[in-house]
Amino acid sequence: MASRKDVDALGAFLEKNGMNIVDPPGEYYGSEYYAVYFTDPDGMKLEAMIWASPEKAKAKKRKSTGRRKSKKKSKR
């Protein structure tokens, strides 16, 4: 997933649609691992996660939303 918000949104979607959430969105294995665990209709346990510190995840998202500078071609 791209962000903690994405994990939270998936958790909300799963809950809204009556899916079995094994472990709700949250930090697991330390503050850098943010995940939601759920089962598919066959009972297979699945997870969606992001592995980044909360600060890095915010900075990465903020950085990616910036405008790209266009390269001007030089005329000779």
Side-chain angles (χ1 to χ4, degrees), residues 17-71:
N17 288 283
M19 298 297 292
N20 180 37
I21 298 174
V22 178
D23 294 305
E27 293 178 349
Y28 298 91
Y29 316 112
S31 64
E32 291 155 351
Y33 200 93
Y34 194 82
V36 60
Y37 296 88
F38 57 100
T39 58
D40 71 5
D42 295 325
M44 176 82 79
K45 186 176 179 182
L46 304 170
E47 76 174 298
M49 52 74 72
I50 181 169
W51 187 19
S53 68
E55 296 80 26
K56 286 182 182 177
K58 287 179 186 177
K60 184 177 181 181
K61 188 171 185 176
R62 189 171 41 237
K63 189 175 186 179
S64 68
T65 60
R67 293 184 178 174
R68 292 185 178 182
K69 293 181 181 179
S70 62
K71 294 181 180 178

Side-chain angles (χ1 to χ4, degrees), residues 10-21:
L10 178 59
F13 174 84
L14 294 168
E15 185 175 357
K16 178 182 174 186
N17 288 283
M19 298 297 292
N20 180 37
I21 298 174

